[in-house]
PDB file of all heavy atoms in Angstrom:
ATOM      1  N   TRP A 381      63.325  36.446 -99.112  1.00 92.00           N
ATOM      2  CA  TRP A 381      62.564  37.081 -98.047  1.00 92.00           C
ATOM      3  C   TRP A 381      61.240  37.589 -98.610  1.00 92.00           C
ATOM      4  O   TRP A 381      61.163  38.034 -99.758  1.00 92.00           O
ATOM      5  CB  TRP A 381      63.352  38.251 -97.448  1.00 92.00           C
ATOM      6  CG  TRP A 381      64.474  37.814 -96.546  1.00 92.00           C
ATOM      7  CD1 TRP A 381      65.379  36.821 -96.778  1.00 92.00           C
ATOM      8  CD2 TRP A 381      64.799  38.361 -95.266  1.00 92.00           C
ATOM      9  NE1 TRP A 381      66.257  36.704 -95.738  1.00 92.00           N
ATOM     10  CE2 TRP A 381      65.930  37.646 -94.781  1.00 92.00           C
ATOM     11  CE3 TRP A 381      64.279  39.380 -94.483  1.00 92.00           C
ATOM     12  CZ2 TRP A 381      66.523  37.914 -93.556  1.00 92.00           C
ATOM     13  CZ3 TRP A 381      64.872  39.661 -93.262  1.00 92.00           C
ATOM     14  CH2 TRP A 381      65.970  38.936 -92.807  1.00 92.00           C
ATOM     15  N   ARG A 382      60.209  37.516 -97.803  1.00 86.00           N
ATOM     16  CA  ARG A 382      58.899  38.100 -98.130  1.00 86.00           C
ATOM     17  C   ARG A 382      58.573  39.083 -97.018  1.00 86.00           C
ATOM     18  O   ARG A 382      58.521  38.706 -95.846  1.00 86.00           O
ATOM     19  CB  ARG A 382      57.833  37.004 -98.246  1.00 86.00           C
ATOM     20  CG  ARG A 382      56.468  37.529 -98.675  1.00 86.00           C
ATOM     21  CD  ARG A 382      55.530  36.374 -99.009  1.00 86.00           C
ATOM     22  NE  ARG A 382      55.302  35.516 -97.879  1.00 86.00           N
ATOM     23  CZ  ARG A 382      54.354  35.708 -96.964  1.00 86.00           C
ATOM     24  NH1 ARG A 382      53.546  36.757 -97.068  1.00 86.00           N
ATOM     25  NH2 ARG A 382      54.192  34.887 -95.964  1.00 86.00           N
ATOM     26  N   ARG A 383      58.398  40.321 -97.409  1.00 80.00           N
ATOM     27  CA  ARG A 383      58.268  41.419 -96.444  1.00 80.00           C
ATOM     28  C   ARG A 383      59.558  41.509 -95.635  1.00 80.00           C
ATOM     29  O   ARG A 383      60.605  41.799 -96.186  1.00 80.00           O
ATOM     30  CB  ARG A 383      57.042  41.208 -95.561  1.00 80.00           C
ATOM     31  CG  ARG A 383      55.727  41.255 -96.358  1.00 80.00           C
ATOM     32  CD  ARG A 383      54.515  40.988 -95.504  1.00 80.00           C
ATOM     33  NE  ARG A 383      53.295  40.975 -96.315  1.00 80.00           N
ATOM     34  CZ  ARG A 383      52.105  40.653 -95.846  1.00 80.00           C
ATOM     35  NH1 ARG A 383      51.944  40.312 -94.554  1.00 80.00           N
ATOM     36  NH2 ARG A 383      51.053  40.668 -96.645  1.00 80.00           N
ATOM     37  N   ARG A 384      59.551  41.240 -94.351  1.00 82.00           N
ATOM     38  CA  ARG A 384      60.753  41.431 -93.537  1.00 82.00           C
ATOM     39  C   ARG A 384      61.253  40.137 -92.911  1.00 82.00           C
ATOM     40  O   ARG A 384      61.943  40.167 -91.892  1.00 82.00           O
ATOM     41  CB  ARG A 384      60.483  42.469 -92.445  1.00 82.00           C
ATOM     42  CG  ARG A 384      60.161  43.854 -92.988  1.00 82.00           C
ATOM     43  CD  ARG A 384      60.044  44.865 -91.870  1.00 82.00           C
ATOM     44  NE  ARG A 384      59.781  46.201 -92.410  1.00 82.00           N
ATOM     45  CZ  ARG A 384      59.646  47.296 -91.653  1.00 82.00           C
ATOM     46  NH1 ARG A 384      59.769  47.192 -90.331  1.00 82.00           N
ATOM     47  NH2 ARG A 384      59.405  48.471 -92.210  1.00 82.00           N
ATOM     48  N   ASP A 385      60.901  39.015 -93.489  1.00 91.00           N
ATOM     49  CA  ASP A 385      61.321  37.740 -92.918  1.00 91.00           C
ATOM     50  C   ASP A 385      61.583  36.735 -94.032  1.00 91.00           C
ATOM     51  O   ASP A 385      61.177  36.927 -95.181  1.00 91.00           O
ATOM     52  CB  ASP A 385      60.257  37.203 -91.961  1.00 91.00           C
ATOM     53  CG  ASP A 385      60.816  36.215 -90.945  1.00 91.00           C
ATOM     54  OD1 ASP A 385      62.023  35.925 -91.021  1.00 91.00           O
ATOM     55  OD2 ASP A 385      60.051  35.732 -90.095  1.00 91.00           O
ATOM     56  N   VAL A 386      62.240  35.645 -93.677  1.00 94.00           N
ATOM     57  CA  VAL A 386      62.525  34.590 -94.650  1.00 94.00           C
ATOM     58  C   VAL A 386      61.212  33.983 -95.133  1.00 94.00           C
ATOM     59  O   VAL A 386      60.303  33.711 -94.331  1.00 94.00           O
ATOM     60  CB  VAL A 386      63.421  33.508 -94.018  1.00 94.00           C
ATOM     61  CG1 VAL A 386      63.682  32.381 -95.017  1.00 94.00           C
ATOM     62  CG2 VAL A 386      64.740  34.112 -93.544  1.00 94.00           C
ATOM     63  N   ASN A 387      61.099  33.774 -96.435  1.00 92.00           N
ATOM     64  CA  ASN A 387      59.878  33.202 -97.012  1.00 92.00           C
ATOM     65  C   ASN A 387      59.729  31.757 -96.547  1.00 92.00           C
ATOM     66  O   ASN A 387      60.591  30.907 -96.815  1.00 92.00           O
ATOM     67  CB  ASN A 387      59.948  33.270 -98.539  1.00 92.00           C
ATOM     68  CG  ASN A 387      58.603  33.056 -99.190  1.00 92.00           C
ATOM     69  OD1 ASN A 387      57.831  32.196 -98.785  1.00 92.00           O
ATOM     70  ND2 ASN A 387      58.314  33.840-100.218  1.00 92.00           N
ATOM     71  N   SER A 388      58.628  31.477 -95.893  1.00 92.00           N
ATOM     72  CA  SER A 388      58.411  30.153 -95.304  1.00 92.00           C
ATOM     73  C   SER A 388      57.861  29.138 -96.303  1.00 92.00           C
ATOM     74  O   SER A 388      57.725  27.959 -95.969  1.00 92.00           O
ATOM     75  CB  SER A 388      57.442  30.266 -94.124  1.00 92.00           C
ATOM     76  OG  SER A 388      56.185  30.795 -94.557  1.00 92.00           O
ATOM     77  N   HIS A 389      57.542  29.577 -97.533  1.00 94.00           N
ATOM     78  CA  HIS A 389      56.940  28.666 -98.519  1.00 94.00           C
ATOM     79  C   HIS A 389      57.975  27.929 -99.364  1.00 94.00           C
ATOM     80  O   HIS A 389      57.614  27.012-100.121  1.00 94.00           O
ATOM     81  CB  HIS A 389      56.009  29.441 -99.458  1.00 94.00           C
ATOM     82  CG  HIS A 389      54.852  30.092 -98.779  1.00 94.00           C
ATOM     83  ND1 HIS A 389      54.054  29.431 -97.883  1.00 94.00           N
ATOM     84  CD2 HIS A 389      54.367  31.370 -98.880  1.00 94.00           C
ATOM     85  CE1 HIS A 389      53.099  30.255 -97.457  1.00 94.00           C
ATOM     86  NE2 HIS A 389      53.276  31.429 -98.040  1.00 94.00           N
ATOM     87  N   THR A 390      59.233  28.298 -99.255  1.00 95.00           N
ATOM     88  CA  THR A 390      60.242  27.766-100.173  1.00 95.00           C
ATOM     89  C   THR A 390      60.385  26.255-100.070  1.00 95.00           C
ATOM     90  O   THR A 390      60.447  25.558-101.091  1.00 95.00           O
ATOM     91  CB  THR A 390      61.603  28.433 -99.913  1.00 95.00           C
ATOM     92  OG1 THR A 390      61.437  29.855 -99.914  1.00 95.00           O
ATOM     93  CG2 THR A 390      62.602  28.040-100.989  1.00 95.00           C
ATOM     94  N   GLU A 391      60.433  25.724 -98.877  1.00 95.00           N
ATOM     95  CA  GLU A 391      60.630  24.283 -98.723  1.00 95.00           C
ATOM     96  C   GLU A 391      59.451  23.496 -99.281  1.00 95.00           C
ATOM     97  O   GLU A 391      59.633  22.416 -99.849  1.00 95.00           O
ATOM     98  CB  GLU A 391      60.884  23.950 -97.254  1.00 95.00           C
ATOM     99  CG  GLU A 391      62.221  24.489 -96.753  1.00 95.00           C
ATOM    100  CD  GLU A 391      62.553  24.057 -95.336  1.00 95.00           C
ATOM    101  OE1 GLU A 391      61.757  23.301 -94.737  1.00 95.00           O
ATOM    102  OE2 GLU A 391      63.606  24.479 -94.824  1.00 95.00           O
ATOM    103  N   ALA A 392      58.230  24.030 -99.148  1.00 95.00           N
ATOM    104  CA  ALA A 392      57.055  23.359 -99.730  1.00 95.00           C
ATOM    105  C   ALA A 392      57.147  23.342-101.251  1.00 95.00           C
ATOM    106  O   ALA A 392      56.788  22.351-101.900  1.00 95.00           O
ATOM    107  CB  ALA A 392      55.775  24.061 -99.286  1.00 95.00           C
TER     108      ALA A 392
END
Side-chain angles (χ1 to χ4, degrees):
W381 285 45
R382 184 170 61 87
R383 296 177 183 174
R384 297 186 178 181
D385 202 358
V386 178
N387 196 318
S388 60
H389 298 312
T390 309
E391 292 185 2

